[in-house]
């Protein structure tokens, strides 16, 4: 029988696709057709929405069940019920039942796994039993086995769907009586197969053999097929990634390893297998991201295609993050994704009138965000967002999701006069089983504050083309940056946000000697591309200037062997915090009757700079 010392550390990432075991049966707090006995008098309910939340119920014996639903797991507001299970009658795993609860509505599925925590139970097992988690339909027609996470005084179970969720102390013979769900999706089937086989393993060698077999038969074939992008569907690629993630998490959990360190994986080539799977998965997700970004960069007016590409790129990144959460897969980080999508799209806020604030009086604060694609700045797209509102001047309601048009309302209670709010809106992407998840594409704004403390926003565009006739060198500088600043009454400015790109190309004729003696002319080019992500101001009043910073990549052509060879080599360097965009100056300030800036006009230190900042 398996070594029970391994199971307390066991934690598999739950599948996030539709599982057929969710269906069947009717909800309610009465005996079901599967002879499950319910403690109906202790039923509790709560309405949860896309922001997530908790629901707890306590059984007559003191066992406490707490369901935690993460943000993005539910797409709509849903009333959830929880009823303690007294017994499971003659159902599989009924003998040895440690605890279970029936949730409603029956068949509800989560986009991200919820967690059921069972407290007040003894998680220790005998030498011939193992703790086995299960998800069971109301009518008992289907039951999926899931590995539990075991603590000293609690047991956690990942919940993908409703309705009966619980854990039993079971023998291998008892587990064998649970029918296999032939309709389960591949991710759920991997969890189920692993749990069934693990219960029957006798030693470490058998455990390793089990994991290698699942790797060879269930994981790799799907990844190999998914890697052929021209053939595999998006869903097939996502399934392959999730199957690989669950297998990796099984290895890490069985041997109680840190998700980011597989150096101590036991023998059996499990460590190299994990490394290879991570590389395969990252290659698939990177390819999906690049394809989505390319579609997003398509020229106007194909805005619908751009939006689909953007969603696909963000969905691929969301997969990377979900892999990271439990499997330690390295991938694109949030900052990199935001920078790389900056050339395609940005989030802007539509002006909304502020409410009248009164100390201690709750009031609604309205906001609206929208997408603007770089290829067609006049075409705005409405999509849903996750909103986050922070303030030290007011109590703010919980974070939440906007409607499909980007409108969001929260309730705030001012603690100070003229409260100031920092708002962040991040576009959501819908996972393929229906749940909204916050993406890496975010916009930020500051609203409220003193009437002499205003925010201005606009664009500075810099162009510079020059030919040096003496050396036949051509300079081409082109770039644009959208930025927002806070203008204060004393004519000082604070950069709140800066987004844009800048390209500098220097081309000139240079002399080389292919035979070491006879001169020849070859053209060499240096190209510098900067992704602007932030800015800073200097000076004050009409002496105010702005500098912009970001990751700069420079590609420089040069001769391989100084002037003796005409063969050209290319050197690429990447520098963070470069300021190649140059300085932008304030050349004029317009004010309202109270002397507060309403418009500032911009100029530059080199080349031609056009643009202005307007009060939002």
């Amino acid at each position: 029988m398996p070594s029970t010392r391994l199971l307390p550390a066991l934690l598999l990432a739950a599948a996030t696709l539709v599982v057929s075991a969710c269906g069947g049966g009717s909800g309610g707090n009465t005996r079901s057709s599967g002879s499950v006995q319910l403690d109906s008098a202790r039923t509790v309910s709560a309405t949860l929405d896309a922001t997530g939340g908790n629901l707890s119920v306590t059984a007559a014996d003191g066992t406490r069940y707490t369901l935690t639903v993460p943000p993005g797991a539910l797409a709509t507001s849903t009333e959830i019920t929880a009823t303690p299970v007294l017994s499971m009658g003659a159902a599989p795993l009924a003998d040895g039942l440690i605890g279970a609860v029936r949730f409603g509505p029956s068949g509800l599925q989560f986009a991200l796994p919820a967690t059921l925590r069972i407290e007040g139970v003894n998680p220790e097992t005998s030498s011939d039993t193992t703790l086995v988690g299960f998800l069971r339909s109301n009518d008992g027609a289907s039951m999926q086995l899931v590995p539990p996470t075991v603590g000293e005084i609690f047991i956690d179970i990942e919940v993908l769907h409703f309705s009966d969720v619980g854990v039993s102390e079971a023998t291998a013979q008892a587990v064998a009586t649970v029918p296999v769900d032939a309709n389960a999706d591949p991710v759920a089937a991997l969890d189920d197969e692993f749990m069934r086989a693990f219960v029957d393993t006798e030693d470490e060698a058998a455990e390793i053999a089990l994991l290698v077999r699942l790797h060879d038969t269930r994981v790799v074939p799907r990844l190999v097929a998914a890697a052929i992008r021209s053939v595999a569907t998006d869903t097939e690629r996502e399934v392959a990634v999730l199957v690989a993630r669950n297998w990796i998490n099984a290895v890490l959990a069985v041997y109680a390893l840190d998700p980011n360190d597989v150096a101590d994986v036991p023998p059996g080539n499990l460590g190299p297998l994990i490394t290879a799977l991570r590389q395969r998965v990252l290659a698939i997700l990177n390819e999906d991201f690049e394809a989505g970004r390319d579609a997003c960069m398509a020229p106007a007016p194909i805005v619908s295609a751009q939006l689909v590409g953007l969603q696909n790129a963000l969905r691929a990144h969301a997969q990377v993050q979900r892999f990271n959460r439990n499997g330690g897969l390295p991938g694109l980080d949030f900052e990199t994704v935001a920078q790389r999508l900056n050339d395609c799209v940005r989030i802007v806020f539509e002006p909304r009138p502020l409410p009248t604030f009164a100390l201690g009086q709750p009031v609604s604060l309205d906001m609206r965000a929208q997408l603007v694609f770089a290829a067609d700045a006049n075409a705005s797209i409405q999509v849903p967002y996750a909103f986050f509102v922070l303030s030290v001047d007011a109590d703010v309601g919980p974070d939440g999701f906007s409607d499909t048009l980007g409108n969001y309302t929260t309730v705030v209670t001012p603690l100070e006069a003229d409260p100031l709010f920092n708002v962040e809106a991040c576009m959501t992407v819908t996972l393929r089983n229906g749940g909204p998840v916050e993406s890496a594409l975010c916009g930020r704004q500051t609203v409220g504050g003193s009437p002499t403390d205003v925010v201005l926003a606009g664009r500075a565009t810099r162009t510079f083309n020059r030919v040096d006739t003496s050396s036949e060198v051509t300079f081409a500088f082109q770039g644009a940056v959208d930025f927002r600043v806070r203008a204060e009454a004393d004519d000082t400015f604070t950069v709140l946000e800066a987004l844009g790109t800048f390209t500098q190309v220097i081309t000139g004729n240079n002399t080389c000697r292919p035979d070491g003696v006879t001169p020849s002319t070859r053209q060499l080019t240096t190209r510098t591309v900067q992704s602007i992500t932030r800015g800073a101001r200097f000076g004050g009043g009409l002496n105010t200037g702005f500098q912009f910073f970001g990751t700069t990549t420079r590609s420089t052509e040069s001769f391989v062997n100084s002037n003796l060879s005409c063969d050209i080599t290319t050197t690429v360097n990447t520098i963070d915090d470069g300021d190649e965009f140059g300085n932008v100056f304030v050349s004029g300030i317009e004010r309202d009757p109270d002397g507060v800036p309403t418009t500032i006009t911009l100029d530059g230190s080199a080349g031609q700079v056009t643009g202005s900042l307007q009060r939002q």
Side-chain angles (χ1 to χ4, degrees), residues 87-105:
S87 71
M88 292 175 58
L93 304 185
D95 294 338
L97 179 66
I98 290 178
V101 62
R102 170 162 294 181
F103 291 107

Side-chain angles (χ1 to χ4, degrees), residues 381-398:
I381 304 295
Q382 280 72 45
V383 296
Y385 301 87
F387 270 84
F388 308 91
V389 183
L390 298 176
S391 177
V392 297
D393 304 328
D395 290 331
V396 181

Side-chain angles (χ1 to χ4, degrees), residues 209-247:
L210 165 63
L211 290 166
V212 172
R213 176 176 65 80
L214 292 177
H215 170 274
D216 294 343
T217 61
R218 303 297 186 191
V219 182
V220 171
R222 289 189 177 276
L223 286 175
V224 171
I228 308 175
R229 183 176 176 82
S230 60
V231 177
T233 66
D234 290 339
T235 299
E236 289 169 339
R237 290 165 72 86
E238 185 172 26
V239 168
V241 169
L242 292 174
V243 168
R245 181 187 66 175
N246 276 25
W247 184 88

Side-chain angles (χ1 to χ4, degrees), residues 351-439:
R352 284 289 187 267
L354 291 175
T356 300
F357 295 114
L359 292 179
Q361 298 298 314
V363 65
S364 295
L365 181 65
D366 298 322
M367 290 153 279
R368 187 182 189 188
Q370 62 181 357
L371 290 178
V372 175
F373 286 89
D376 187 357
N378 295 319
S380 61
I381 304 295
Q382 280 72 45
V383 296
Y385 301 87
F387 270 84
F388 308 91
V389 183
L390 298 176
S391 177
V392 297
D393 304 328
D395 290 331
V396 181
D399 301 326
F401 290 82
S402 73
D403 62 18
T404 57
L405 299 179
N407 296 297
Y408 179 71
T409 299
T410 189
V411 176
V412 300
T413 303
L415 304 176
E416 303 287 346
D418 301 319
L420 185 67
F421 301 93
N422 295 314
V423 180
E424 181 178 57
C426 299
M427 179 180 166
T428 63
V429 289
T430 301
L431 302 179
R432 290 192 169 90
N433 58 327
V437 178
E438 171 197 351
S439 77

Side-chain angles (χ1 to χ4, degrees), residues 273-287:
L273 293 181
I274 289 177
T275 300
L277 285 187
R278 285 173 167 165
Q279 293 172 346
R280 287 177 181 270
V281 168
L282 186 58
I284 289 174
L285 296 177
N286 270 332
E287 187 178 17

